[in-house]
Amino acid sequence: MSKFLSSRFSSLVPYTPGEQPRDMEYVKLNTNESPFPPSNKVIEAVNSEEVKKLNLYPDPTGIALISALAKTYNVGEENVFISNGSDDILNFSFMAFCDKDKGAFFPEISYGFYEVYAELYGVNYKKVPLKSDFSINPADYYNAGNTVVIANPNAPTGLALSLAEIEEILKANPNDVVIIDEAYVDFGAESCVPLTKKYNNLIVVMTYSKSRSLAGGRLGFAIASAELISDLNTIKYSTNPYNINRLTMAAGIASLEDDDYYKACNKNTAEVREYTKAEIEKLGFTSTNSKANFLFAKSNKVGGEQYYLALKSKGVLVRHFKNEKIKDYVRINIVTKEQIDILLAKTNEILN
Ligand code: PMP
């Protein structure tokens, strides 16, 4: 820390992204990316005339992409917000909807960035414990009196709440914002976008990083009531109005024209997830009933860190968290069956 850093941030512990080592080529199962390339239309759109226009700012309103998303999700243009990855939307939401009087409730085991944002903005927060099976108890969030943030499916457990359970949380918090982070929803959970028409306190946050093969493009979006979208725009126009670059905007629009391609990719991921679950359980692992593009699993023979390190030495990277409650587990990104077969073979070697 330099002597120049504001004392406000002296104890801030930043988020640690999954490692991206360069020492050798790994089978990378640690950052939940898609193994599939963007669709052909996306590749064409990015290679086109757009590149020649990089001397010009992108449209700050992003209306072409917003309009395409509104059509896809059957909502109005005033109900859509786009941003530089969904982390940006979560950041803006903590900035917009939390302060010293209004804190945040989120699950104790969830996406690590929620706590970082709460610390960054100095807001009070409660990490709500999960049940012993790692599921979320919706009633723990009733009458929260605070902004509620829930990843659905949750990360890194992969467990999802039903639409009815989320609706109960919304009903029980009419005066507070409820943020549902649907980063992994396209792999088998139910989206609560339709509830945005009924509940003006709901923000559904989504990303192109996983189910639309665009993690490197950095594109996220939110769907909510016009009032909440307007609040997010207040923050956007107070920080970085040009928050989506031209190429990413073109890629985002083109990807919506290739919906069938992405649906097929996501279906494949869900199938490979079930295959991985069945095969790894044959090796003595237990795993949660994940609805995401990852599996959360623990061995009955080796500890989580030991397994992670042994896999790494064999060229396979998975994600291990040091948190005491989940230290026996690893999170495994579901990729192609061929890559998963390498993971399974290396796991066999480690166990024997
Ligand atoms: N929410 C959750 C639950 C995530 O796991 C991630 C990915 N790390 C994000 C949001 C952010 O994704 P992105 O910024 O790439 O859209």
Side-chain angles (χ1 to χ4, degrees):
M1 192 202 323
S2 84
K3 65 180 178 185
F4 304 109
L5 182 69
S6 162
S7 59
R8 279 182 295 152
F9 304 125
S10 56
S11 60
L12 186 64
V13 181
Y15 176 73
T16 317
E19 61 191 317
Q20 307 277 11
R22 313 236 175 268
D23 57 335
M24 59 178 269
E25 189 123 334
Y26 288 90
V27 176
K28 264 191 90 270
L29 313 180
N30 68 329
T31 44
N32 292 343
E33 289 147 329
S34 168
F36 305 109
S39 74
N40 287 337
K41 280 205 172 121
V42 169
I43 294 166
E44 280 162 29
V46 171
N47 284 342
S48 76
E49 292 297 299
E50 241 4 69
V51 175
K52 295 185 197 149
K53 295 188 201 149
L54 281 177
N55 56 316
L56 305 174
Y57 282 111
D59 170 15
T61 70
I63 191 61
L65 174 57
I66 285 186
S67 166
L69 282 165
K71 273 200 201 88
T72 303
Y73 287 90
N74 191 25
V75 294
E77 290 172 357
E78 68 284 8
N79 302 117
V80 183
F81 179 79
I82 52 178
S83 199
N84 181 21
S86 61
D87 281 337
D88 225 18
I89 301 177
L90 295 166
N91 178 25
F92 287 0
S93 299
F94 272 84
M95 227 189 285
F97 307 116
C98 297
D99 54 33
K100 63 181 177 2
D101 302 317
K102 181 70 69 187
F105 270 30
F106 46 83
E108 180 181 11
I109 295 177
S110 192
Y111 184 35
F113 234 135
Y114 304 152
E115 185 169 359
V116 177
Y117 291 132
E119 290 281 349
L120 178 64
Y121 297 113
V123 307
N124 290 320
Y125 58 96
K126 179 173 164 185
K127 296 200 272 183
V128 183
L130 298 178
K131 293 201 267 186
S132 59
D133 63 357
F134 292 132
S135 65
I136 287 171
N137 177 16
D140 290 343
Y141 298 84
Y142 295 172
N143 308 309
N146 287 273
T147 298
V148 172
V149 190
I150 293 177
N152 195 50
N154 196 14
T157 65
L159 295 174
L161 291 171
S162 69
L163 223 55
E165 288 172 310
I166 289 175
E167 185 156 15
E168 289 307 314
I169 295 173
L170 288 162
K171 275 190 203 156
N173 290 286
N175 300 315
D176 283 301
V177 173
V178 175
I179 299 164
I180 302 295
D181 178 350
E182 293 192 349
Y184 301 103
V185 79
D186 292 333
F187 302 103
E190 243 181 320
S191 172
C192 60
V193 163
L195 295 178
T196 57
K197 294 186 197 274
K198 213 165 148 191
Y199 297 92
N200 66 358
N201 57 332
L202 169 63
I203 303 182
V204 183
V205 180
M206 295 195 173
T207 179
Y208 270 69
S209 293
K210 325 287 177 182
S211 59
R212 286 193 186 271
S213 301
L214 215 64
R218 311 305 300 126
L219 187 55
F221 58 100
I223 296 182
S225 63
E227 303 129 86
L228 291 179
I229 296 298
S230 162
D231 293 340
L232 289 174
N233 273 313
T234 299
I235 302 293
K236 161 179 153 161
Y237 284 98
S238 306
T239 48
N240 180 9
Y242 303 108
N243 65 343
I244 318 255
N245 71 74
R246 272 181 178 278
L247 300 181
T248 294
M249 196 97 77
I253 295 165
S255 93
L256 297 174
E257 293 163 15
D258 261 337
D259 231 28
D260 290 347
Y261 168 78
Y262 292 102
K263 282 197 177 116
C265 293
N266 298 339
K267 184 166 171 276
N268 180 280
T269 297
E271 284 163 8
V272 175
R273 179 187 66 217
E274 296 314 308
Y275 164 77
T276 313
K277 182 172 165 66
E279 292 301 311
I280 209 160
E281 287 181 357
K282 283 184 203 157
L283 300 177
F285 281 71
T286 44
S287 68
T288 54
N289 189 19
S290 172
K291 296 288 181 209
N293 68 342
F294 54 80
L295 212 59
F296 191 55
K298 88 168 173 179
S299 162
N300 62 357
K301 276 203 187 138
V302 283
E305 184 162 27
Q306 197 190 345
Y307 177 51
Y308 151 76
L309 288 171
L311 278 176
K312 187 171 177 184
S313 73
K314 289 176 181 289
V316 179
L317 271 185
V318 294
R319 187 96 198 245
H320 175 255
F321 301 91
K322 290 203 185 298
N323 179 322
E324 193 54 33
K325 293 196 175 162
I326 53 169
K327 68 177 185 357
D328 294 337
Y329 285 76
V330 295
R331 191 193 68 192
I332 302 165
N333 185 184
I334 301 300
V335 284
T336 60
K337 182 171 176 296
E338 292 69 35
Q339 287 174 304
I340 290 294
D341 282 337
I342 297 174
L343 165 91
L344 294 168
K346 300 292 177 195
T347 301
N348 234 326
E349 288 172 21
I350 292 163
L351 296 177
N352 295 312

